[in-house]
PDB file of all heavy atoms in Angstrom:
ATOM      1  N   VAL A  11     -14.050  21.796  -3.337  1.00 98.00           N
ATOM      2  CA  VAL A  11     -15.484  21.902  -3.069  1.00 98.00           C
ATOM      3  C   VAL A  11     -15.874  20.922  -1.960  1.00 98.00           C
ATOM      4  O   VAL A  11     -15.633  19.717  -2.089  1.00 98.00           O
ATOM      5  CB  VAL A  11     -16.309  21.587  -4.334  1.00 98.00           C
ATOM      6  CG1 VAL A  11     -17.800  21.800  -4.053  1.00 98.00           C
ATOM      7  CG2 VAL A  11     -15.862  22.446  -5.500  1.00 98.00           C
ATOM      8  N   GLY A  12     -16.482  21.446  -0.894  1.00 97.00           N
ATOM      9  CA  GLY A  12     -16.867  20.606   0.244  1.00 97.00           C
ATOM     10  C   GLY A  12     -15.733  20.615   1.244  1.00 97.00           C
ATOM     11  O   GLY A  12     -14.632  20.153   0.946  1.00 97.00           O
ATOM     12  N   LEU A  13     -15.963  21.180   2.438  1.00 97.00           N
ATOM     13  CA  LEU A  13     -14.871  21.348   3.408  1.00 97.00           C
ATOM     14  C   LEU A  13     -15.123  20.529   4.661  1.00 97.00           C
ATOM     15  O   LEU A  13     -14.948  20.989   5.785  1.00 97.00           O
ATOM     16  CB  LEU A  13     -14.709  22.838   3.756  1.00 97.00           C
ATOM     17  CG  LEU A  13     -14.582  23.775   2.550  1.00 97.00           C
ATOM     18  CD1 LEU A  13     -14.531  25.230   2.998  1.00 97.00           C
ATOM     19  CD2 LEU A  13     -13.341  23.425   1.733  1.00 97.00           C
ATOM     20  N   GLY A  14     -15.564  19.291   4.460  1.00 94.00           N
ATOM     21  CA  GLY A  14     -15.800  18.399   5.603  1.00 94.00           C
ATOM     22  C   GLY A  14     -14.512  17.703   6.006  1.00 94.00           C
ATOM     23  O   GLY A  14     -13.424  18.273   5.906  1.00 94.00           O
ATOM     24  N   THR A  15     -14.648  16.462   6.437  1.00 92.00           N
ATOM     25  CA  THR A  15     -13.504  15.685   6.917  1.00 92.00           C
ATOM     26  C   THR A  15     -12.352  15.724   5.914  1.00 92.00           C
ATOM     27  O   THR A  15     -11.211  16.015   6.257  1.00 92.00           O
ATOM     28  CB  THR A  15     -13.945  14.219   7.129  1.00 92.00           C
ATOM     29  OG1 THR A  15     -15.083  14.230   7.990  1.00 92.00           O
ATOM     30  CG2 THR A  15     -12.845  13.396   7.754  1.00 92.00           C
ATOM     31  N   MET A  16     -12.633  15.428   4.649  1.00 95.00           N
ATOM     32  CA  MET A  16     -11.563  15.353   3.660  1.00 95.00           C
ATOM     33  C   MET A  16     -11.244  16.702   3.039  1.00 95.00           C
ATOM     34  O   MET A  16     -10.079  17.054   2.876  1.00 95.00           O
ATOM     35  CB  MET A  16     -11.927  14.366   2.549  1.00 95.00           C
ATOM     36  CG  MET A  16     -11.868  12.936   2.966  1.00 95.00           C
ATOM     37  SD  MET A  16     -10.337  12.501   3.827  1.00 95.00           S
ATOM     38  CE  MET A  16      -9.149  12.574   2.500  1.00 95.00           C
ATOM     39  N   GLY A  17     -12.272  17.451   2.663  1.00 97.00           N
ATOM     40  CA  GLY A  17     -12.046  18.695   1.937  1.00 97.00           C
ATOM     41  C   GLY A  17     -11.152  19.659   2.704  1.00 97.00           C
ATOM     42  O   GLY A  17     -10.202  20.229   2.140  1.00 97.00           O
ATOM     43  N   GLU A  35     -18.033  26.077  -0.077  1.00 98.00           N
ATOM     44  CA  GLU A  35     -19.060  25.294   0.617  1.00 98.00           C
ATOM     45  C   GLU A  35     -20.436  25.710   0.120  1.00 98.00           C
ATOM     46  O   GLU A  35     -20.574  26.612  -0.722  1.00 98.00           O
ATOM     47  CB  GLU A  35     -18.938  25.475   2.136  1.00 98.00           C
ATOM     48  CG  GLU A  35     -18.226  24.322   2.841  1.00 98.00           C
ATOM     49  CD  GLU A  35     -19.002  22.993   2.830  1.00 98.00           C
ATOM     50  OE1 GLU A  35     -20.180  22.976   2.408  1.00 98.00           O
ATOM     51  OE2 GLU A  35     -18.421  21.962   3.251  1.00 98.00           O
ATOM     52  N   ILE A  36     -21.426  25.010   0.668  1.00 97.00           N
ATOM     53  CA  ILE A  36     -22.773  25.160   0.134  1.00 97.00           C
ATOM     54  C   ILE A  36     -23.551  26.283   0.810  1.00 97.00           C
ATOM     55  O   ILE A  36     -24.501  26.829   0.243  1.00 97.00           O
ATOM     56  CB  ILE A  36     -23.490  23.797   0.251  1.00 97.00           C
ATOM     57  CG1 ILE A  36     -24.720  23.746  -0.632  1.00 97.00           C
ATOM     58  CG2 ILE A  36     -23.806  23.451   1.690  1.00 97.00           C
ATOM     59  CD1 ILE A  36     -25.239  22.341  -0.830  1.00 97.00           C
ATOM     60  N   ALA A  40     -22.034  26.079   6.677  1.00 97.00           N
ATOM     61  CA  ALA A  40     -21.096  25.010   6.317  1.00 97.00           C
ATOM     62  C   ALA A  40     -19.705  25.589   6.087  1.00 97.00           C
ATOM     63  O   ALA A  40     -18.695  24.959   6.417  1.00 97.00           O
ATOM     64  CB  ALA A  40     -21.585  24.276   5.073  1.00 97.00           C
ATOM     65  N   ALA A  91     -14.909  17.216  -2.683  1.00 97.00           N
ATOM     66  CA  ALA A  91     -14.990  16.273  -1.567  1.00 97.00           C
ATOM     67  C   ALA A  91     -16.352  16.444  -0.903  1.00 97.00           C
ATOM     68  O   ALA A  91     -16.463  16.702   0.289  1.00 97.00           O
ATOM     69  CB  ALA A  91     -13.861  16.518  -0.579  1.00 97.00           C
ATOM     70  N   VAL A  92     -17.395  16.353  -1.738  1.00 97.00           N
ATOM     71  CA  VAL A  92     -18.759  16.440  -1.205  1.00 97.00           C
ATOM     72  C   VAL A  92     -19.199  15.014  -0.869  1.00 97.00           C
ATOM     73  O   VAL A  92     -18.508  14.049  -1.191  1.00 97.00           O
ATOM     74  CB  VAL A  92     -19.721  17.124  -2.215  1.00 97.00           C
ATOM     75  CG1 VAL A  92     -19.207  18.515  -2.596  1.00 97.00           C
ATOM     76  CG2 VAL A  92     -19.942  16.289  -3.460  1.00 97.00           C
ATOM     77  N   PRO A  93     -20.352  14.833  -0.208  1.00 96.00           N
ATOM     78  CA  PRO A  93     -20.758  13.490   0.213  1.00 96.00           C
ATOM     79  C   PRO A  93     -20.787  12.474  -0.939  1.00 96.00           C
ATOM     80  O   PRO A  93     -20.978  12.842  -2.109  1.00 96.00           O
ATOM     81  CB  PRO A  93     -22.136  13.717   0.821  1.00 96.00           C
ATOM     82  CG  PRO A  93     -22.068  15.112   1.351  1.00 96.00           C
ATOM     83  CD  PRO A  93     -21.259  15.866   0.333  1.00 96.00           C
ATOM     84  N   GLU A  94     -20.614  11.230  -0.549  1.00 95.00           N
ATOM     85  CA  GLU A  94     -20.419  10.135  -1.504  1.00 95.00           C
ATOM     86  C   GLU A  94     -21.749   9.698  -2.149  1.00 95.00           C
ATOM     87  O   GLU A  94     -22.229   8.586  -1.906  1.00 95.00           O
ATOM     88  CB  GLU A  94     -19.747   8.977  -0.743  1.00 95.00           C
ATOM     89  CG  GLU A  94     -19.252   7.829  -1.581  1.00 95.00           C
ATOM     90  CD  GLU A  94     -17.932   8.089  -2.287  1.00 95.00           C
ATOM     91  OE1 GLU A  94     -17.547   9.258  -2.412  1.00 95.00           O
ATOM     92  OE2 GLU A  94     -17.330   7.114  -2.732  1.00 95.00           O
ATOM     93  N   LEU A  98     -25.360  13.551  -6.710  1.00 98.00           N
ATOM     94  CA  LEU A  98     -24.833  14.830  -6.224  1.00 98.00           C
ATOM     95  C   LEU A  98     -23.546  15.183  -6.976  1.00 98.00           C
ATOM     96  O   LEU A  98     -23.366  16.304  -7.460  1.00 98.00           O
ATOM     97  CB  LEU A  98     -24.567  14.739  -4.715  1.00 98.00           C
ATOM     98  CG  LEU A  98     -23.853  15.934  -4.077  1.00 98.00           C
ATOM     99  CD1 LEU A  98     -24.692  17.198  -4.157  1.00 98.00           C
ATOM    100  CD2 LEU A  98     -23.483  15.656  -2.627  1.00 98.00           C
ATOM    101  N   LYS A  99     -22.670  14.211  -7.084  1.00 98.00           N
ATOM    102  CA  LYS A  99     -21.380  14.475  -7.739  1.00 98.00           C
ATOM    103  C   LYS A  99     -21.599  14.753  -9.235  1.00 98.00           C
ATOM    104  O   LYS A  99     -20.933  15.617  -9.810  1.00 98.00           O
ATOM    105  CB  LYS A  99     -20.421  13.300  -7.531  1.00 98.00           C
ATOM    106  CG  LYS A  99     -20.062  13.107  -6.044  1.00 98.00           C
ATOM    107  CD  LYS A  99     -18.722  12.467  -5.814  1.00 98.00           C
ATOM    108  CE  LYS A  99     -18.542  12.022  -4.375  1.00 98.00           C
ATOM    109  NZ  LYS A  99     -17.529  12.726  -3.605  1.00 98.00           N
ATOM    110  N   ASN A 119     -12.580  13.285  -5.310  1.00 97.00           N
ATOM    111  CA  ASN A 119     -11.909  12.568  -4.228  1.00 97.00           C
ATOM    112  C   ASN A 119     -12.736  11.346  -3.831  1.00 97.00           C
ATOM    113  O   ASN A 119     -12.556  10.785  -2.754  1.00 97.00           O
ATOM    114  CB  ASN A 119     -11.747  13.528  -3.037  1.00 97.00           C
ATOM    115  CG  ASN A 119     -11.001  12.909  -1.879  1.00 97.00           C
ATOM    116  OD1 ASN A 119      -9.938  12.339  -2.057  1.00 97.00           O
ATOM    117  ND2 ASN A 119     -11.576  12.985  -0.694  1.00 97.00           N
ATOM    118  N   THR A 120     -13.653  10.926  -4.698  1.00 97.00           N
ATOM    119  CA  THR A 120     -14.514   9.807  -4.335  1.00 97.00           C
ATOM    120  C   THR A 120     -13.701   8.591  -3.896  1.00 97.00           C
ATOM    121  O   THR A 120     -12.609   8.355  -4.404  1.00 97.00           O
ATOM    122  CB  THR A 120     -15.440   9.400  -5.505  1.00 97.00           C
ATOM    123  OG1 THR A 120     -16.292   8.350  -5.039  1.00 97.00           O
ATOM    124  CG2 THR A 120     -14.659   8.890  -6.710  1.00 97.00           C
ATOM    125  N   SER A 121     -14.274   7.829  -2.961  1.00 94.00           N
ATOM    126  CA  SER A 121     -13.606   6.631  -2.462  1.00 94.00           C
ATOM    127  C   SER A 121     -14.080   5.393  -3.187  1.00 94.00           C
ATOM    128  O   SER A 121     -13.392   4.369  -3.172  1.00 94.00           O
ATOM    129  CB  SER A 121     -13.924   6.426  -0.981  1.00 94.00           C
ATOM    130  OG  SER A 121     -13.698   7.584  -0.258  1.00 94.00           O
ATOM    131  N   HIS A 142      -7.503  10.579  -5.121  1.00 97.00           N
ATOM    132  CA  HIS A 142      -8.042  10.062  -3.861  1.00 97.00           C
ATOM    133  C   HIS A 142      -7.027  10.216  -2.739  1.00 97.00           C
ATOM    134  O   HIS A 142      -6.038   9.491  -2.667  1.00 97.00           O
ATOM    135  CB  HIS A 142      -8.439   8.587  -4.040  1.00 97.00           C
ATOM    136  CG  HIS A 142      -9.077   8.008  -2.824  1.00 97.00           C
ATOM    137  ND1 HIS A 142      -8.685   6.821  -2.248  1.00 97.00           N
ATOM    138  CD2 HIS A 142     -10.092   8.478  -2.046  1.00 97.00           C
ATOM    139  CE1 HIS A 142      -9.420   6.583  -1.179  1.00 97.00           C
ATOM    140  NE2 HIS A 142     -10.283   7.572  -1.045  1.00 97.00           N
ATOM    141  N   PHE A 143      -7.296  11.199  -1.875  1.00 97.00           N
ATOM    142  CA  PHE A 143      -6.436  11.434  -0.711  1.00 97.00           C
ATOM    143  C   PHE A 143      -6.871  10.514   0.422  1.00 97.00           C
ATOM    144  O   PHE A 143      -7.994  10.002   0.432  1.00 97.00           O
ATOM    145  CB  PHE A 143      -6.581  12.887  -0.229  1.00 97.00           C
ATOM    146  CG  PHE A 143      -5.874  13.896  -1.088  1.00 97.00           C
ATOM    147  CD1 PHE A 143      -6.505  14.465  -2.196  1.00 97.00           C
ATOM    148  CD2 PHE A 143      -4.583  14.302  -0.780  1.00 97.00           C
ATOM    149  CE1 PHE A 143      -5.859  15.406  -2.980  1.00 97.00           C
ATOM    150  CE2 PHE A 143      -3.927  15.242  -1.561  1.00 97.00           C
ATOM    151  CZ  PHE A 143      -4.563  15.798  -2.664  1.00 97.00           C
ATOM    152  N   ASN A 145      -7.147   9.882   4.745  1.00 92.00           N
ATOM    153  CA  ASN A 145      -7.538  10.608   5.944  1.00 92.00           C
ATOM    154  C   ASN A 145      -6.572  10.319   7.082  1.00 92.00           C
ATOM    155  O   ASN A 145      -6.350   9.145   7.375  1.00 92.00           O
ATOM    156  CB  ASN A 145      -8.958  10.114   6.304  1.00 92.00           C
ATOM    157  CG  ASN A 145      -9.606  10.920   7.384  1.00 92.00           C
ATOM    158  OD1 ASN A 145      -9.037  11.861   7.913  1.00 92.00           O
ATOM    159  ND2 ASN A 145     -10.820  10.533   7.738  1.00 92.00           N
ATOM    160  N   ILE A 237     -13.149   8.120   9.831  1.00 96.00           N
ATOM    161  CA  ILE A 237     -13.649   8.216   8.456  1.00 96.00           C
ATOM    162  C   ILE A 237     -15.003   8.918   8.445  1.00 96.00           C
ATOM    163  O   ILE A 237     -15.307   9.731   7.565  1.00 96.00           O
ATOM    164  CB  ILE A 237     -13.786   6.808   7.841  1.00 96.00           C
ATOM    165  CG1 ILE A 237     -12.396   6.194   7.623  1.00 96.00           C
ATOM    166  CG2 ILE A 237     -14.564   6.840   6.529  1.00 96.00           C
ATOM    167  CD1 ILE A 237     -12.410   4.720   7.278  1.00 96.00           C
ATOM    168  N   THR A 241     -20.104   8.416   5.763  1.00 96.00           N
ATOM    169  CA  THR A 241     -19.247   8.223   4.592  1.00 96.00           C
ATOM    170  C   THR A 241     -18.916   6.734   4.443  1.00 96.00           C
ATOM    171  O   THR A 241     -18.999   6.182   3.341  1.00 96.00           O
ATOM    172  CB  THR A 241     -17.957   9.062   4.751  1.00 96.00           C
ATOM    173  OG1 THR A 241     -18.336  10.430   4.877  1.00 96.00           O
ATOM    174  CG2 THR A 241     -17.043   8.899   3.553  1.00 96.00           C
ATOM    175  N   ILE A 245     -19.696   4.321   1.237  1.00 95.00           N
ATOM    176  CA  ILE A 245     -18.600   3.631   0.537  1.00 95.00           C
ATOM    177  C   ILE A 245     -18.899   2.130   0.472  1.00 95.00           C
ATOM    178  O   ILE A 245     -18.800   1.500  -0.587  1.00 95.00           O
ATOM    179  CB  ILE A 245     -17.245   3.893   1.234  1.00 95.00           C
ATOM    180  CG1 ILE A 245     -16.856   5.376   1.091  1.00 95.00           C
ATOM    181  CG2 ILE A 245     -16.145   2.996   0.659  1.00 95.00           C
ATOM    182  CD1 ILE A 245     -15.617   5.787   1.889  1.00 95.00           C
ATOM    183  N   LYS A 277     -16.802  13.511  13.826  1.00 94.00           N
ATOM    184  CA  LYS A 277     -17.351  14.788  13.384  1.00 94.00           C
ATOM    185  C   LYS A 277     -18.609  15.184  14.148  1.00 94.00           C
ATOM    186  O   LYS A 277     -18.896  16.362  14.289  1.00 94.00           O
ATOM    187  CB  LYS A 277     -17.561  14.817  11.872  1.00 94.00           C
ATOM    188  CG  LYS A 277     -18.513  13.817  11.295  1.00 94.00           C
ATOM    189  CD  LYS A 277     -18.538  13.972   9.764  1.00 94.00           C
ATOM    190  CE  LYS A 277     -19.016  12.711   9.094  1.00 94.00           C
ATOM    191  NZ  LYS A 277     -18.842  12.725   7.646  1.00 94.00           N
TER     192      LYS A 277
HETATM  193  N1  NAD B   1     -13.774  10.388   5.231  1.00 52.35           N
HETATM  194  C1  NAD B   1     -12.754   9.762   4.684  1.00 52.35           C
HETATM  195  O1  NAD B   1     -11.960   9.112   5.403  1.00 52.35           O
HETATM  196  C2  NAD B   1     -12.516   9.843   3.205  1.00 52.35           C
HETATM  197  C3  NAD B   1     -11.256   9.491   2.708  1.00 52.35           C
HETATM  198  C4  NAD B   1     -11.008   9.645   1.331  1.00 52.35           C
HETATM  199  C5  NAD B   1     -12.016  10.077   0.486  1.00 52.35           C
HETATM  200  N2  NAD B   1     -13.256  10.389   0.999  1.00 52.35           N
HETATM  201  C6  NAD B   1     -14.269  10.895   0.064  1.00 52.35           C
HETATM  202  O2  NAD B   1     -14.292  12.308   0.187  1.00 52.35           O
HETATM  203  C7  NAD B   1     -15.608  12.788  -0.090  1.00 52.35           C
HETATM  204  C8  NAD B   1     -16.087  13.628   1.080  1.00 52.35           C
HETATM  205  O3  NAD B   1     -16.167  12.820   2.252  1.00 52.35           O
HETATM  206  P1  NAD B   1     -16.083  13.450   3.722  1.00 52.35           P
HETATM  207  O4  NAD B   1     -15.883  12.328   4.637  1.00 52.35           O
HETATM  208  O5  NAD B   1     -15.133  14.583   3.710  1.00 52.35           O
HETATM  209  O6  NAD B   1     -17.569  14.020   3.884  1.00 52.35           O
HETATM  210  P2  NAD B   1     -18.140  15.089   4.937  1.00 52.35           P
HETATM  211  O7  NAD B   1     -19.541  14.745   5.152  1.00 52.35           O
HETATM  212  O8  NAD B   1     -17.243  15.191   6.111  1.00 52.35           O
HETATM  213  O9  NAD B   1     -18.032  16.479   4.137  1.00 52.35           O
HETATM  214  C9  NAD B   1     -18.767  16.786   2.998  1.00 52.35           C
HETATM  215  C10 NAD B   1     -18.875  18.307   2.860  1.00 52.35           C
HETATM  216  O10 NAD B   1     -19.439  18.628   1.596  1.00 52.35           O
HETATM  217  C11 NAD B   1     -20.294  19.746   1.769  1.00 52.35           C
HETATM  218  N3  NAD B   1     -21.224  19.780   0.642  1.00 52.35           N
HETATM  219  C12 NAD B   1     -22.321  19.014   0.434  1.00 52.35           C
HETATM  220  N4  NAD B   1     -22.898  19.348  -0.735  1.00 52.35           N
HETATM  221  C13 NAD B   1     -22.166  20.335  -1.284  1.00 52.35           C
HETATM  222  C14 NAD B   1     -22.257  21.081  -2.484  1.00 52.35           C
HETATM  223  N5  NAD B   1     -23.231  20.861  -3.351  1.00 52.35           N
HETATM  224  N6  NAD B   1     -21.344  22.039  -2.712  1.00 52.35           N
HETATM  225  C15 NAD B   1     -20.347  22.266  -1.832  1.00 52.35           C
HETATM  226  N7  NAD B   1     -20.197  21.569  -0.686  1.00 52.35           N
HETATM  227  C16 NAD B   1     -21.089  20.608  -0.410  1.00 52.35           C
HETATM  228  C17 NAD B   1     -20.933  19.512   3.110  1.00 52.35           C
HETATM  229  O11 NAD B   1     -21.412  20.716   3.646  1.00 52.35           O
HETATM  230  C18 NAD B   1     -19.756  18.929   3.926  1.00 52.35           C
HETATM  231  O12 NAD B   1     -19.025  19.932   4.585  1.00 52.35           O
HETATM  232  C19 NAD B   1     -16.458  11.551  -0.359  1.00 52.35           C
HETATM  233  O13 NAD B   1     -16.507  11.343  -1.747  1.00 52.35           O
HETATM  234  C20 NAD B   1     -15.679  10.448   0.340  1.00 52.35           C
HETATM  235  O14 NAD B   1     -15.922   9.207  -0.215  1.00 52.35           O
HETATM  236  C21 NAD B   1     -13.496  10.301   2.342  1.00 52.35           C
END
Side-chain angles (χ1 to χ4, degrees):
V11 184
L13 308 176
T15 306
M16 287 311 290
E35 260 292 352
I36 197 165
V92 303
E94 190 79 342
L98 173 64
K99 296 207 193 247
N119 183 50
T120 183
S121 310
H142 184 230
F143 284 88
N145 190 359
I237 291 169
T241 301
I245 293 173
K277 61 182 158 190

